[in-house]
Structures are given as structure tokens and as C-alpha cells.
Amino acid sequence: MRYRVLSIALTLAASLTSLSVAQTKPWPPAAGHTTLNLWPGPVPDPVPTKGAEANTADPVKNVIAGKPIMIWANVSTPTITLYAPKGKNTGAAVVVFPGGGYNILAIDLEGTEVCDWLTAKGISCILLKYRVPDTGPYKTKSPAALEDAQRAIGMVRAHAAEWHIDPNRVGVLGFSAGGHLAVALSTHYETRLYPSQDAADQQSCRPDFAVVVYPGYLADPDHDFLDKLDIHPTEKTPPAFIVQAEDDPVHVENAITYFLALKKVKVPAELHVYSEGGHGYGLRPQAKWPVTTWPQAVEVWLQTIKILPTAKP
């Protein structure tokens, strides 16, 4: 019951609930970006969907910071899309996991808009369109989303030379359910959940760092959700930047619980908790909410952990 309530809260809080409204403009990436199917053949552990992939957002009701959002539903064929750096390439790369309660993907709010920010900073952005709906967190329903995340990191490293990426500076950034997915990958990288497909699966799928934004599924009233979902950080877990608002209906304890778990095993972590902001703001700045300045804090953090060069005065 607790899992069901949390899943509903995640979807409602981000205004991502409607899967029956009229379709608007479809998502397929703009020309000039490299898009690859994640799997060379049939996907492992396929998840049934209720129809074809589509944007099911209501342009009037599904609005964040005065701008409509895109709700991408029924994903059964996962892909990765490369957004190359603009200007000087730093060599760093980030694989982005949009949120949506493991039911849909906020593909622009927590996907393409993130890539616009990162590429402007000289960082390669790889947007993962992972399988939904209702795949759920690993250990509760399906391994599909975590399989997709593991595979994506391996593919990025396999293409590192071609894409001008440093394979030792590949991180992940996830929102809401995608934040949980970033944490799950950070603690489940030693063994693939699927049979090896090709050379990409011989690459490490351990992220070098993780940015976790308003995560879900990491805490419950009994304070043992990490155990229930087999989230057990070790000293080898990658460093993390974690941000959440205290008034988030998905509950700030998700961020705090993971931060304390990392602290216990002495993994460097930076926790930012703000009093207001709710859930599902993405990167869209709002003057009334200081929490929406989190991207600037991430840029500084990436310098402190030596992923990005220190800015010159």
C-alpha cells in the first residue's frame, strides 16, 4: 500500500497524471542529434504498454512555470540520444533520466531542457528514454528501467572515443523516479541484470558521479525503504549531489535518507534542502523558489569533484 501511495504521489506532484488527453506535438529529437536504439535486438524483460508512444500532455493543464510540458507515454523501445557540447568540449558527459513515477517520462522538462543546459557548459548530454509505463523501482515490479540504465552507461563508454567523451567522467542525473533510478544504478553496477549483448556490456556501468533531484522511492515511514529496494551504498558508490524541497509532497526524507546512507560509508555527498519548491520544477527558474537555482550549485560541485575545470576568476 505504501508503494502504491508513493507512486501516485510522484505522478500527481509533477502534474504528470493524464494519459487520456489529446495528443500534441510529438517528441522525436530534432535533426542533428545522434539517436541509437538501446538494445541490438529484443529488449530483455519486455513490459507491455497500452498503446503507441505519444505525448499525452494537456497543454492547458500540464504547465510548469507558465510553460506547457511534454508527457511521453508508452515507451517500450528505449533509446539514447546524444546532445553534443556547444563550444569547448570539457570531455565530461551526463546521462539524464527524466522522471514520471515510472509511468511516463517528462521528456522535455526533465530531459531536453537539461541537455540544453549541460551542452551550453561544454558537457555531452545523453538523454535516456527508458521503458515505461509502470515498470516501477527495481525489486518491486520490473528490472526493465534499471536494465536500460545499465546498458546506457555501457553504450556511452563504448562510444566515448567517437563522441569525444572521457570514459572516466561519465555521470548520471535523474529527477523524481529518475532520481531513484540514478541511485539504483549507483548501487547496482557490478553485475548486469541481463545477458551480455555486445561489447558495450563489457564496459563498466558504474557512474562516476550522480546528481539526484527531488528523488522518490528512497524512504518510507519505517525508514527502511533502502533495504526493501536493495539500495546499499558502499565505499565504491559514486559521489552524489542531492537536492529537494522540504515541502515536497514526495517527502524530503528521500534525499536525507540517501545522504545519510552515503555519509555512513564515507562517500562524498552534497545535500541541498530548501524550505519551498514542491515537486517537478525541473530547471525552470521561479523567483519565488530559491530551490530552482540548483543547476548553478551543481556546476560548482562538478568543479569541486574535478569533473569540470575550476572556473578562472
Side-chain angles (χ1 to χ4, degrees), residues 163-225:
W163 292 350
H164 308 290
I165 289 170
D166 180 348
N168 298 311
R169 289 189 290 150
V170 177
V172 293
L173 189 160
F175 300 81
S176 194
H180 169 269
L181 184 57
V183 170
L185 181 62
S186 295
T187 54
H188 292 84
Y189 55 80
E190 292 185 344
T191 303
R192 296 292 208 279
L193 301 180
Y194 56 89
S196 179
Q197 307 287 307
D198 53 28
D201 292 328
Q202 307 309 309
Q203 300 283 337
S204 170
C205 64
R206 177 190 179 274
D208 293 304
F209 58 92
V211 178
V212 183
V213 185
Y214 45 81
Y217 303 108
L218 298 176
D220 65 358
D222 296 329
H223 302 291
D224 61 358
F225 223 26

Side-chain angles (χ1 to χ4, degrees), residues 20-21 26 36 42 52 77 79 83 96 102 121 140 156 159 177 180 188 209 224 251 272 275 285 289-290:
S20 59
V21 294
L36 302 175
T77 304
T79 63
Y83 291 75
V96 175
Y102 286 107
K121 302 300 176 181
T140 62
V156 170
H159 288 275
H180 169 269
H188 292 84
F209 58 92
D224 61 358
H251 307 304
H272 293 250
S275 61
W289 288 339

Side-chain angles (χ1 to χ4, degrees), residues 234-267:
T234 70
E235 68 279 3
K236 295 181 180 180
T237 299
F241 178 102
I242 312 163
V243 61
Q244 198 154 18
E246 194 280 328
D247 66 350
D248 189 331
V250 179
H251 307 304
V252 72
E253 285 79 6
N254 287 283
I256 295 170
T257 295
Y258 187 54
F259 172 78
L260 292 175
L262 293 175
K263 182 175 183 293
K264 187 176 181 179
V265 294
K266 296 181 172 54
V267 170

Side-chain angles (χ1 to χ4, degrees), residues 69-89:
I69 63 172
M70 192 172 289
I71 297 176
W72 204 251
N74 296 317
V75 176
S76 59
T77 304
T79 63
I80 55 172
T81 298
L82 170 67
Y83 291 75
K86 300 170 183 175
K88 185 177 180 180
N89 183 359

Side-chain angles (χ1 to χ4, degrees), residues 248-309:
D248 189 331
V250 179
H251 307 304
V252 72
E253 285 79 6
N254 287 283
I256 295 170
T257 295
Y258 187 54
F259 172 78
L260 292 175
L262 293 175
K263 182 175 183 293
K264 187 176 181 179
V265 294
K266 296 181 172 54
V267 170
E270 191 164 303
L271 174 65
H272 293 250
V273 175
Y274 294 80
S275 61
E276 295 182 305
H279 193 85
Y281 34 83
L283 277 80
R284 297 184 183 180
Q286 300 184 59
K288 63 179 179 178
W289 288 339
V291 69
T292 60
T293 65
W294 67 265
Q296 292 96 300
V298 168
E299 292 170 24
V300 175
W301 178 71
L302 290 174
Q303 294 172 17
T304 65
I305 64 171
K306 306 294 190 287
I307 295 297
L308 293 180

Side-chain angles (χ1 to χ4, degrees), residues 31-93:
H33 299 300
T34 299
T35 297
L36 302 175
N37 282 337
L38 195 64
W39 301 94
V43 298
D45 301 301
V47 179
T49 61
K50 297 178 181 179
E53 286 190 23
N55 175 25
T56 58
D58 183 325
V60 175
K61 294 180 180 179
N62 299 126
V63 175
I64 301 293
K67 180 181 176 182
I69 63 172
M70 192 172 289
I71 297 176
W72 204 251
N74 296 317
V75 176
S76 59
T77 304
T79 63
I80 55 172
T81 298
L82 170 67
Y83 291 75
K86 300 170 183 175
K88 185 177 180 180
N89 183 359
T90 66

